[in-house]
mmCIF file of all heavy atoms in Angstrom:
data_model
loop_
_atom_site.group_PDB
_atom_site.id
_atom_site.type_symbol
_atom_site.label_atom_id
_atom_site.label_comp_id
_atom_site.label_asym_id
_atom_site.label_seq_id
_atom_site.Cartn_x
_atom_site.Cartn_y
_atom_site.Cartn_z
ATOM 1 N N TYR A 3 1.524 5.012 1.162
ATOM 2 C CA TYR A 3 1.159 5.987 2.189
ATOM 3 C C TYR A 3 1.842 7.304 1.866
ATOM 4 O O TYR A 3 2.952 7.323 1.330
ATOM 5 C CB TYR A 3 1.628 5.503 3.566
ATOM 6 C CG TYR A 3 0.935 4.275 4.052
ATOM 7 C CD1 TYR A 3 1.461 3.013 3.782
ATOM 8 C CD2 TYR A 3 -0.237 4.354 4.779
ATOM 9 C CE1 TYR A 3 0.827 1.867 4.232
ATOM 10 C CE2 TYR A 3 -0.882 3.210 5.242
ATOM 11 C CZ TYR A 3 -0.343 1.969 4.960
ATOM 12 O OH TYR A 3 -0.969 0.844 5.404
ATOM 13 N N LYS A 4 1.169 8.400 2.221
ATOM 14 C CA LYS A 4 1.725 9.736 2.003
ATOM 15 C C LYS A 4 1.798 10.455 3.343
ATOM 16 O O LYS A 4 0.932 10.290 4.197
ATOM 17 C CB LYS A 4 0.837 10.529 1.040
ATOM 18 C CG LYS A 4 0.792 9.915 -0.343
ATOM 19 C CD LYS A 4 -0.056 10.712 -1.281
ATOM 20 C CE LYS A 4 -0.058 10.029 -2.648
ATOM 21 N NZ LYS A 4 -0.584 10.880 -3.684
ATOM 22 N N GLY A 5 2.857 11.244 3.488
ATOM 23 C CA GLY A 5 3.029 11.973 4.733
ATOM 24 C C GLY A 5 3.802 13.246 4.521
ATOM 25 O O GLY A 5 4.336 13.505 3.439
ATOM 26 N N SER A 6 3.877 14.036 5.590
ATOM 27 C CA SER A 6 4.596 15.303 5.515
ATOM 28 C C SER A 6 4.832 15.844 6.914
ATOM 29 O O SER A 6 4.291 15.347 7.899
ATOM 30 C CB SER A 6 3.796 16.332 4.716
ATOM 31 O OG SER A 6 2.638 16.722 5.439
ATOM 32 N N CYS A 7 5.640 16.891 6.949
ATOM 33 C CA CYS A 7 5.786 17.666 8.172
ATOM 34 C C CYS A 7 4.511 18.504 8.348
ATOM 35 O O CYS A 7 3.573 18.405 7.548
ATOM 36 C CB CYS A 7 7.018 18.559 8.083
ATOM 37 S SG CYS A 7 6.919 19.802 6.768
ATOM 38 N N HIS A 8 4.462 19.350 9.346
ATOM 39 C CA HIS A 8 3.259 20.143 9.610
ATOM 40 C C HIS A 8 2.987 21.172 8.514
ATOM 41 O O HIS A 8 1.851 21.322 8.053
ATOM 42 C CB HIS A 8 3.389 20.852 10.963
ATOM 43 C CG HIS A 8 2.154 21.552 11.392
ATOM 44 N ND1 HIS A 8 2.012 22.914 11.286
ATOM 45 C CD2 HIS A 8 1.001 21.079 11.910
ATOM 46 C CE1 HIS A 8 0.819 23.251 11.738
ATOM 47 N NE2 HIS A 8 0.181 22.158 12.120
ATOM 48 N N CYS A 9 4.033 21.855 8.048
ATOM 49 C CA CYS A 9 3.820 22.913 7.054
ATOM 50 C C CYS A 9 3.784 22.384 5.618
ATOM 51 O O CYS A 9 3.416 23.105 4.710
ATOM 52 C CB CYS A 9 4.885 23.999 7.198
ATOM 53 S SG CYS A 9 6.554 23.514 6.709
ATOM 54 N N GLY A 10 4.185 21.128 5.407
ATOM 55 C CA GLY A 10 4.127 20.520 4.085
ATOM 56 C C GLY A 10 5.347 20.734 3.212
ATOM 57 O O GLY A 10 5.396 20.244 2.089
ATOM 58 N N LYS A 11 6.355 21.443 3.717
ATOM 59 C CA LYS A 11 7.551 21.674 2.902
ATOM 60 C C LYS A 11 8.387 20.415 2.728
ATOM 61 O O LYS A 11 9.152 20.309 1.782
ATOM 62 C CB LYS A 11 8.397 22.787 3.506
ATOM 63 C CG LYS A 11 7.755 24.154 3.378
ATOM 64 C CD LYS A 11 8.652 25.218 3.977
ATOM 65 C CE LYS A 11 7.999 26.588 3.819
ATOM 66 N NZ LYS A 11 8.824 27.628 4.461
ATOM 67 N N VAL A 12 8.266 19.473 3.673
ATOM 68 C CA VAL A 12 8.905 18.170 3.555
ATOM 69 C C VAL A 12 7.787 17.146 3.424
ATOM 70 O O VAL A 12 6.966 16.990 4.327
ATOM 71 C CB VAL A 12 9.794 17.846 4.771
ATOM 72 C CG1 VAL A 12 10.346 16.434 4.675
ATOM 73 C CG2 VAL A 12 10.917 18.865 4.901
ATOM 74 N N ALA A 13 7.717 16.498 2.273
ATOM 75 C CA ALA A 13 6.655 15.519 2.017
ATOM 76 C C ALA A 13 7.276 14.251 1.447
ATOM 77 O O ALA A 13 8.320 14.292 0.795
ATOM 78 C CB ALA A 13 5.618 16.085 1.059
ATOM 79 N N PHE A 14 6.595 13.128 1.687
ATOM 80 C CA PHE A 14 7.146 11.843 1.265
ATOM 81 C C PHE A 14 6.034 10.864 0.947
ATOM 82 O O PHE A 14 4.870 11.073 1.299
ATOM 83 C CB PHE A 14 8.053 11.255 2.361
ATOM 84 C CG PHE A 14 7.336 10.987 3.656
ATOM 85 C CD1 PHE A 14 6.731 9.766 3.901
ATOM 86 C CD2 PHE A 14 7.281 11.956 4.638
ATOM 87 C CE1 PHE A 14 6.070 9.521 5.089
ATOM 88 C CE2 PHE A 14 6.629 11.722 5.830
ATOM 89 C CZ PHE A 14 6.020 10.494 6.058
ATOM 90 N N GLU A 15 6.420 9.798 0.268
ATOM 91 C CA GLU A 15 5.562 8.637 0.040
ATOM 92 C C GLU A 15 6.351 7.427 0.473
ATOM 93 O O GLU A 15 7.576 7.394 0.354
ATOM 94 C CB GLU A 15 5.194 8.506 -1.433
ATOM 95 C CG GLU A 15 4.339 9.635 -1.945
ATOM 96 C CD GLU A 15 4.019 9.519 -3.425
ATOM 97 O OE1 GLU A 15 4.676 8.736 -4.134
ATOM 98 O OE2 GLU A 15 3.113 10.242 -3.873
ATOM 99 N N VAL A 16 5.643 6.434 0.993
ATOM 100 C CA VAL A 16 6.290 5.205 1.423
ATOM 101 C C VAL A 16 5.396 4.029 1.060
ATOM 102 O O VAL A 16 4.179 4.086 1.237
ATOM 103 C CB VAL A 16 6.642 5.229 2.928
ATOM 104 C CG1 VAL A 16 5.418 5.384 3.795
ATOM 105 C CG2 VAL A 16 7.446 4.020 3.321
ATOM 106 N N GLU A 17 6.019 3.003 0.505
ATOM 107 C CA GLU A 17 5.296 1.817 0.054
ATOM 108 C C GLU A 17 5.579 0.683 1.024
ATOM 109 O O GLU A 17 6.730 0.439 1.388
ATOM 110 C CB GLU A 17 5.786 1.430 -1.343
ATOM 111 C CG GLU A 17 5.120 0.221 -1.928
ATOM 112 C CD GLU A 17 3.728 0.475 -2.441
ATOM 113 O OE1 GLU A 17 3.468 1.574 -2.947
ATOM 114 O OE2 GLU A 17 2.901 -0.445 -2.325
ATOM 115 N N GLY A 18 4.518 -0.017 1.447
ATOM 116 C CA GLY A 18 4.716 -1.166 2.315
ATOM 117 C C GLY A 18 3.449 -1.567 3.029
ATOM 118 O O GLY A 18 2.398 -0.942 2.869
ATOM 119 N N GLU A 19 3.571 -2.617 3.826
ATOM 120 C CA GLU A 19 2.458 -3.103 4.634
ATOM 121 C C GLU A 19 2.714 -2.705 6.080
ATOM 122 O O GLU A 19 3.687 -3.137 6.691
ATOM 123 C CB GLU A 19 2.322 -4.623 4.508
ATOM 124 C CG GLU A 19 1.933 -5.067 3.115
ATOM 125 C CD GLU A 19 0.650 -4.412 2.601
ATOM 126 O OE1 GLU A 19 -0.327 -4.315 3.375
ATOM 127 O OE2 GLU A 19 0.640 -3.988 1.441
ATOM 128 N N LEU A 20 1.858 -1.892 6.600
ATOM 129 C CA LEU A 20 1.993 -1.366 7.949
ATOM 130 C C LEU A 20 1.375 -2.347 8.941
ATOM 131 O O LEU A 20 0.161 -2.535 8.961
ATOM 132 C CB LEU A 20 1.311 -0.001 8.045
ATOM 133 C CG LEU A 20 1.321 0.694 9.388
ATOM 134 C CD1 LEU A 20 2.739 0.864 9.894
ATOM 135 C CD2 LEU A 20 0.651 2.049 9.250
ATOM 136 N N GLY A 21 2.224 -2.999 9.725
ATOM 137 C CA GLY A 21 1.730 -3.989 10.674
ATOM 138 C C GLY A 21 1.722 -3.508 12.109
ATOM 139 O O GLY A 21 1.020 -4.054 12.947
ATOM 140 N N GLY A 22 2.491 -2.491 12.416
ATOM 141 C CA GLY A 22 2.576 -1.994 13.778
ATOM 142 C C GLY A 22 3.564 -0.848 13.853
ATOM 143 O O GLY A 22 4.093 -0.404 12.842
ATOM 144 N N ALA A 23 3.793 -0.400 15.067
ATOM 145 C CA ALA A 23 4.662 0.745 15.294
ATOM 146 C C ALA A 23 5.731 0.385 16.314
ATOM 147 O O ALA A 23 5.545 -0.506 17.139
ATOM 148 C CB ALA A 23 3.843 1.934 15.791
ATOM 149 N N VAL A 24 6.835 1.118 16.259
ATOM 150 C CA VAL A 24 7.919 0.967 17.220
ATOM 151 C C VAL A 24 8.032 2.264 18.010
ATOM 152 O O VAL A 24 8.060 3.355 17.442
ATOM 153 C CB VAL A 24 9.257 0.675 16.507
ATOM 154 C CG1 VAL A 24 10.401 0.656 17.501
ATOM 155 C CG2 VAL A 24 9.179 -0.630 15.743
ATOM 156 N N ARG A 25 8.092 2.124 19.324
ATOM 157 C CA ARG A 25 8.334 3.274 20.200
ATOM 158 C C ARG A 25 9.735 3.087 20.781
ATOM 159 O O ARG A 25 9.985 2.140 21.525
ATOM 160 C CB ARG A 25 7.296 3.342 21.311
ATOM 161 C CG ARG A 25 7.477 4.511 22.249
ATOM 162 C CD ARG A 25 6.372 4.641 23.284
ATOM 163 N NE ARG A 25 5.873 3.359 23.749
ATOM 164 C CZ ARG A 25 4.570 3.040 23.788
ATOM 165 N NH1 ARG A 25 3.660 3.885 23.386
ATOM 166 N NH2 ARG A 25 4.194 1.852 24.235
ATOM 167 N N CYS A 26 10.644 3.967 20.401
ATOM 168 C CA CYS A 26 12.035 3.897 20.831
ATOM 169 C C CYS A 26 12.233 4.832 22.028
ATOM 170 O O CYS A 26 11.693 5.945 22.037
ATOM 171 C CB CYS A 26 12.951 4.312 19.674
ATOM 172 S SG CYS A 26 14.691 4.384 20.100
ATOM 173 N N ASN A 27 13.004 4.378 23.008
ATOM 174 C CA ASN A 27 13.219 5.206 24.195
ATOM 175 C C ASN A 27 14.581 5.896 24.208
ATOM 176 O O ASN A 27 15.033 6.353 25.257
ATOM 177 C CB ASN A 27 13.043 4.370 25.465
ATOM 178 C CG ASN A 27 14.131 3.325 25.654
ATOM 179 O OD1 ASN A 27 14.995 3.145 24.808
ATOM 180 N ND2 ASN A 27 14.072 2.620 26.767
#
Side-chain angles (χ1 to χ4, degrees):
Y3 294 91
K4 296 181 180 194
S6 69
C7 63
H8 187 257
C9 70
K11 290 181 179 177
V12 175
F14 61 90
E15 295 178 345
V16 61
E17 180 76 34
E19 294 305 317
L20 179 56
V24 174
R25 180 175 36 230
C26 176
N27 68 356

